[in-house]
Amino acid sequence: MRTSRARIKALWRAPAAALAAVAVSAIAPAAAHAHFSLLEPACATEQDRLGNPQKSAPCGQADPGMPAEPTGAVTTYVQGQTITLRITEPIFHPGHYRVSIAPDPESLPPDPEVTPGSTPCGSTVIETAPKLPLVADGLLVHTAAFTGEQSVEIKLPDDLTCDNCTLQVSEFMSNHALNDPGGCFYHHCATVTIVPREGGGAGSGGAGGGSGDGGAASSSVSSSSSGSGEGSTASAGGSAGDGGAASTGDGGSAGTDASDPSDSSGCGCRVGAAESPTMAGIAGLLALGLLRWRRRR
């Protein structure tokens, strides 16, 4: 009887082992492909429960068999604002996130180079001092699965304003096979508008110039009350500081004589002093009186 029972157990073990192997093979592909969903700012395209489409750079717009469907969402921020990035990662893989901003998807930077390790996706460089179009790198570095939704704060550049520009969030995955397309990265984009601050504020200079105390210089060309004499002007709404130079063109300066903010000419100087109406009236009366006095003589 013992021999018979052993044979029966052996017969049951074989199918069980086969089923376990099938289960592992079914789970393995999912574990090899991380996914994330962009919650904030609002994603520019519709996402399924895993965040797809997201493989193809720069915005997941060319994933095979999964055309991107625009949401039409536009998120508005203020120049220099600290914003919140929120994501979920339905399928885990170790890695980190990076954020870039450009006028359009075509102007976004390419994914950085990757050094292979035990898998094709070994490691990549994290920029500790990012420069536009890269805004932040090395965000949410993790080697274990997140327990839920993740958020991180990012400061927008002080000198950046734009209308319907593209904010890209990309995920680098280490210990990962190559995606086709996408390589070692997943991508999502959001459409954002960054408006000037009200009243200006201290900001970093645009290309070729600097801003004074309280003056906000912008890399974009727009009319403002704290601009240069010629060439690119400071961003709209920026007010000149005390004596601060905010020239990005041919050396115009903006000091305490900044023009009224309602002036949209872009000139940072106030036209020379004009006589007030009261003084002009008094001068006229004096001249008239002097003329009459001479006639009487």
Side-chain angles (χ1 to χ4, degrees), residues 66-145:
M66 189 170 292
E69 298 180 10
T71 60
V74 179
T75 303
T76 300
Y77 296 119
V78 176
Q79 182 182 17
Q81 178 181 347
T82 297
I83 69 173
T84 300
L85 172 70
R86 292 193 302 123
I87 60 98
T88 58
E89 195 171 276
I91 301 177
F92 158 72
H93 225 80
H96 65 269
Y97 291 80
R98 44 192 276 134
V99 175
S100 302
I101 298 179
D104 49 63
E106 293 73 22
S107 302
L108 289 166
D111 294 327
E113 294 185 4
V114 175
T115 300
S118 58
T119 67
C121 299
S123 62
T124 190
V125 174
I126 292 177
E127 297 292 343
T128 57
K131 297 180 181 179
L132 282 173
L134 183 64
V135 175
D137 199 0
L139 303 174
L140 301 173
V141 176
H142 60 292
T143 57

Side-chain angles (χ1 to χ4, degrees), residues 210-239:
S211 63
D213 295 336
S218 172
S219 58
S220 59
V221 178
S222 58
S223 61
S224 171
S225 62
S226 62
S228 60
E230 295 179 6
S232 298
T233 66
S235 61
S239 60

Side-chain angles (χ1 to χ4, degrees), residues 20-33:
V22 171
V24 169
S25 64
I27 294 171
H33 298 282

Side-chain angles (χ1 to χ4, degrees), residues 14-285:
L19 288 172
V22 171
V24 169
S25 64
I27 294 171
H33 298 282
H35 293 72
F36 82 99
S37 298
L38 179 60
L39 306 180
E40 186 180 350
C43 194
T45 56
E46 299 287 353
Q47 305 171 83
D48 67 10
R49 64 184 183 84
L50 297 178
N52 296 316
Q54 59 187 306
K55 290 184 179 181
S56 53
C59 300
Q61 76 292 339
D63 285 20
M66 189 170 292
E69 298 180 10
T71 60
V74 179
T75 303
T76 300
Y77 296 119
V78 176
Q79 182 182 17
Q81 178 181 347
T82 297
I83 69 173
T84 300
L85 172 70
R86 292 193 302 123
I87 60 98
T88 58
E89 195 171 276
I91 301 177
F92 158 72
H93 225 80
H96 65 269
Y97 291 80
R98 44 192 276 134
V99 175
S100 302
I101 298 179
D104 49 63
E106 293 73 22
S107 302
L108 289 166
D111 294 327
E113 294 185 4
V114 175
T115 300
S118 58
T119 67
C121 299
S123 62
T124 190
V125 174
I126 292 177
E127 297 292 343
T128 57
K131 297 180 181 179
L132 282 173
L134 183 64
V135 175
D137 199 0
L139 303 174
L140 301 173
V141 176
H142 60 292
T143 57
F146 294 137
T147 56
E149 176 186 308
Q150 300 295 304
S151 64
V152 61
E153 292 188 339
I154 303 165
K155 188 180 184 303
L156 297 176
D158 288 322
D159 57 352
L160 177 64
T161 59
C162 65
D163 185 24
N164 289 342
C165 54
T166 302
L167 182 148
Q168 179 201 56
V169 182
S170 57
E171 177 191 10
F172 168 71
M173 298 161 292
S174 61
N175 191 24
H176 190 279
L178 292 174
N179 285 329
D180 184 18
C184 303
F185 295 85
Y186 280 105
H187 317 80
H188 280 306
C189 290
T191 302
V192 300
T193 290
I194 304 174
V195 299
R197 305 179 195 85
E198 292 185 5
S204 56
S211 63
D213 295 336
S218 172
S219 58
S220 59
V221 178
S222 58
S223 61
S224 171
S225 62
S226 62
S228 60
E230 295 179 6
S232 298
T233 66
S235 61
S239 60
D242 293 339
S247 62
T248 56
D250 293 336
S253 62
T256 55
D257 287 337
S259 61
D260 186 87
S262 62
D263 181 10
S264 61
S265 65
C267 177
C269 305
R270 185 171 58 193
V271 177
E275 292 181 347
S276 65
T278 302
M279 292 300 297
I282 293 173
L285 290 174

